[in-house]
Amino acid sequence: MTVTELVPYEDALAVYDPVMGLEVHVELGTATKMFCGCSTTLGADANSQTCPTCLGLPGALPVVNATGVESAVRIGLALNCEIAEWCRFARKNYFYPDMPKNFQTSQYDEPIAFNGHLDVQLEDGEVFRVEIERAHMEEDTGKSTHIGGATGRIHGASHSLLDYNRAGIPLIEIVTKPIEGAGERAPEVAKAYVAELRELIKALGVSEARMEMGQMRCDVNLSLRPKGEKTFGTRSETKNVNSLRSVERAARFEIQRHAAVLDAGEKIVQETRHFHEENGSTTSGRVKEEAEDYRYFPEPDLVPVAPSREWVEELRAGLPELPRLRRNRLREEWGISQHEMQSVLNAGAVGLIVATVDAGAPADQARKWWMGELARRANESGTELADLPIGPEDVARVCALVGEGSLNDKLARQTIEGVLDGEGTPDEVVEKRGLKVVSDEGALGTAVDEAIAGNPDIAEKIRGGKVQAAGALVGAVMKATRGQADAARVRELILEKLGVEG
Ligand code: ADP
Ligand code: MG
Ligand code: ZN
């Protein structure tokens, strides 16, 4: 059945309790594929990165990629999982044209990592623990492109093209246990979990985890049960959701749709669903009432994986600081609120600010430039902060020039503008545009004398004790020096010359 009327979100949550399960696939950034030596570099000609193994030709033998296994163990450890002492790959048998072997080499009942958890921080600062069922190794399939139809899907297409360059690229699939107790915050928890996982993967350096490029994708399983009920309801599985925002929207939509079906006294069909970016809805995919029978069996061509305990401990000791802890540490070091930290995160500025501070800038200055002027420029040009033609070293240099008094705020802004416009390094821009603060006392003194001479009535007022009137003279000097004077010093000089106390 199709439900067209969704139940309002709050109404759905007043009656039902959502349970979620998130399955995330991460493409590892190894140089070669999981079971052969073919390159994984993106953008090559179709089918140029293939060999008998990843094309599934008879007699070809796979060999495990050691870096792939190492990445899997490190991900498992970072997710607080137990690491299998011994595990095997399994064949998951099914036919699909983009999978020439007719089975996917995966792991089934012997995953390399299991029983872990990931703590995620919600927008209000609260920490929610997501339990991890397993993380296992598998391989990606090839890519089909359907030509001739209106939608790009196979229906209505006249023919399809197959590119096996992606076949055999290592994937790690990370599956949560059923997530209960999130209530109305279930969609937020889903989004925060995927965001945290992405940060973790990036911190480990095992993948760039760019969702928009398909390097990380999420299946959102969701069911509702009446509040107070223990047993789970029937779930739907929205496949391949590929942005953080979409993960949240898909969960929200499914809550409202399930509620509508259940309110109408009907049953949820266990099925996969597609998410539609344009309107945030999902539509039915494949009905999956019975567990599919993939005839799994242990892969006979690969030796079991038996990570020694010494090696696992070595890898554990080498884990980087985990993103959530690092964020909290930085937030304290920078002395900013949870909310401010969230803005820094959303702007993708954490690494840039850290690098600017490492290059010698005070944290508040580094944050001010990246989150102010530079965020504005990135916004205007529709680019990411990291893609602006200015780096942490440049920003740190500008901060240093401000710190030593060579630039004031206004001149610093112009310097940054020059760097962004391709005029060179901060020092080159200052030199070319002649931006240095006039600190030569002689030149400043002359400018002050001229301002006094040009405004005798104001000067008289100041002499008479109206110290506030000095502002007008400061303004005149700043104008004469094109903003390149240190305003505080100018004020001092004016008062000195007129013989009044500041
Ligand atoms: P499959 O391989 O068919 O997708 P899994 O057993 O791997 O099935 O489960 C998929 C995900 O859905 C897991 O994260 C699991 O915790 C979760 N899950 C299982 N049952 C339910 C349910 N009734 N409601 C919500 N999530 C569920
Ligand atoms: Mg699934
Ligand atoms: Zn190959």
Side-chain angles (χ1 to χ4, degrees):
M1 71 159 282
T2 40
V3 175
T4 45
E5 285 287 310
L6 297 179
V7 172
Y9 189 71
E10 287 71 25
D11 296 355
L13 268 299
V15 183
Y16 301 105
D17 174 28
V19 176
M20 288 188 304
L22 301 168
E23 297 169 82
V24 173
H25 284 90
V26 178
E27 233 178 55
L28 294 180
T30 52
T32 57
K33 294 186 179 180
M34 192 65 196
F35 304 112
C36 63
C38 290
S39 166
T40 56
T41 310
L42 288 175
D45 285 348
N47 296 307
S48 63
Q49 293 166 342
T50 55
C51 73
T53 299
C54 55
L55 287 176
L57 301 187
L61 286 174
V63 177
V64 169
N65 182 329
T67 310
V69 175
E70 179 180 304
S71 301
V73 173
R74 293 180 67 230
I75 290 172
L77 289 171
L79 291 171
N80 306 289
C81 287
E82 295 170 49
I83 305 299
E85 304 220 359
W86 189 94
C87 65
R88 284 177 297 189
F89 285 95
R91 290 189 180 186
K92 180 180 183 181
N93 297 283
Y94 66 101
F95 168 78
Y96 204 77
D98 62 19
M99 198 185 60
K101 295 187 298 188
N102 286 344
F103 62 84
Q104 181 190 29
T105 307
S106 181
Q107 292 197 287
Y108 181 48
D109 48 357
E110 298 168 356
I112 186 143
F114 49 93
N115 276 345
H117 63 261
L118 180 63
D119 287 334
V120 305
Q121 202 152 8
L122 304 181
E123 300 249 342
D124 63 4
E126 199 187 307
V127 174
F128 190 98
R129 175 161 293 188
V130 175
E131 306 282 345
I132 307 289
E133 172 84 40
R134 57 193 274 149
H136 72 246
M137 303 178 281
E138 58 182 42
E139 59 178 339
D140 213 341
T141 56
K143 190 171 162 45
S144 319
T145 308
H146 306 295
I147 310 289
T151 59
R153 293 194 190 276
I154 196 165
H155 306 283
S158 60
H159 61 288
S160 300
L161 301 175
L162 288 161
D163 176 7
Y164 294 113
N165 284 352
R166 199 178 68 184
I169 289 194
L171 293 179
I172 304 294
E173 178 173 347
I174 301 150
V175 183
T176 68
K177 293 185 179 167
I179 302 170
E180 303 176 64
E184 61 180 7
R185 296 199 293 183
E188 190 197 342
V189 167
K191 179 183 168 191
Y193 167 76
V194 178
E196 193 61 46
L197 190 54
R198 190 182 61 174
E199 289 306 306
L200 187 72
I201 297 289
K202 286 199 291 193
L204 291 170
V206 295
S207 167
E208 287 179 31
R210 294 171 76 140
M211 294 187 82
E212 72 283 6
M213 290 175 64
Q215 293 171 336
M216 181 165 167
R217 34 197 201 258
C218 178
D219 300 342
V220 180
N221 293 268
L222 188 129
S223 66
L224 295 184
R225 57 186 173 188
K227 275 190 159 176
E229 180 76 52
K230 281 263 177 297
T231 359
F232 294 162
T234 305
R235 70 187 153 110
S236 59
E237 181 179 2
T238 306
K239 303 289 281 184
N240 291 325
V241 187
N242 65 359
S243 76
L244 295 179
R245 179 161 175 261
S246 298
V247 167
E248 184 169 27
R249 288 170 91 202
R252 197 178 166 93
F253 182 90
E254 281 300 284
I255 288 175
Q256 293 181 264
R257 185 184 69 84
H258 279 228
V261 173
L262 297 173
D263 279 357
E266 316 228 0
K267 285 205 163 93
I268 293 290
V269 185
Q270 185 166 340
E271 61 183 357
T272 64
R273 297 183 69 87
H274 304 293
F275 179 73
H276 304 283
E277 207 80 53
E278 335 69 82
N279 58 10
S281 72
T282 68
T283 54
S284 179
R286 187 158 46 96
V287 175
K288 207 175 172 186
E289 280 201 77
E290 314 263 308
E292 272 158 289
D293 190 350
Y294 290 111
R295 301 273 154 166
Y296 279 99
F297 65 86
E299 166 61 59
D301 288 341
L302 286 166
V303 289
V305 177
S308 80
R309 296 301 95 177
E310 294 73 35
W311 186 54
V312 169
E313 287 319 308
E314 227 171 81
L315 292 178
R316 193 196 305 276
L319 289 180
E321 182 184 19
L322 299 182
R324 190 175 63 84
L325 302 178
R326 174 168 182 265
R327 278 198 313 269
N328 286 340
R329 174 175 61 77
L330 290 173
R331 194 172 67 72
E332 291 201 352
E333 282 176 15
W334 298 348
I336 62 176
S337 70
Q338 189 77 41
H339 185 75
E340 286 168 316
M341 191 65 192
Q342 193 61 46
S343 314
V344 173
L345 277 173
N346 294 344
V350 178
L352 294 166
I353 296 173
V354 168
T356 307
V357 171
D358 286 348
D364 57 336
Q365 289 290 310
R367 193 167 63 89
K368 176 183 117 180
W369 290 113
W370 285 111
M371 294 303 291
E373 189 68 9
L374 293 168
R376 193 176 58 73
R377 287 287 293 244
N379 235 335
E380 273 170 15
S381 54
T383 47
E384 300 290 322
L385 274 181
D387 296 335
L388 286 176
I390 190 168
E393 293 281 342
D394 300 321
V395 177
R397 181 64 188 142
V398 171
C399 293
L401 290 170
V402 172
E404 71 186 35
S406 301
L407 294 178
N408 58 24
D409 216 62
K410 184 167 160 231
L411 296 172
R413 191 153 301 157
Q414 291 173 21
T415 307
I416 284 180
E417 219 174 78
V419 176
L420 289 172
D421 292 344
E423 293 169 28
T425 63
D427 289 293
E428 286 164 359
V429 174
V430 168
E431 181 67 33
K432 279 188 214 158
R433 292 197 181 188
L435 294 180
K436 275 221 164 146
V437 164
V438 180
S439 54
D440 169 357
E441 289 279 319
L444 262 193
T446 311
V448 169
D449 289 342
E450 281 167 7
I452 291 173
N455 300 279
D457 40 336
I458 299 178
E460 206 39 56
K461 276 189 197 161
I462 300 170
R463 279 201 195 90
K466 276 200 84 185
V467 177
Q468 315 88 283
L473 290 188
V474 173
V477 174
M478 294 307 281
K479 199 166 167 204
T481 56
R482 290 179 301 128
Q484 284 167 239
D486 173 354
R489 180 68 192 133
V490 170
R491 190 169 187 283
E492 270 173 25
L493 277 175
I494 292 169
L495 298 180
E496 224 175 273
K497 286 185 187 269
L498 295 175
V500 266
E501 290 285 309

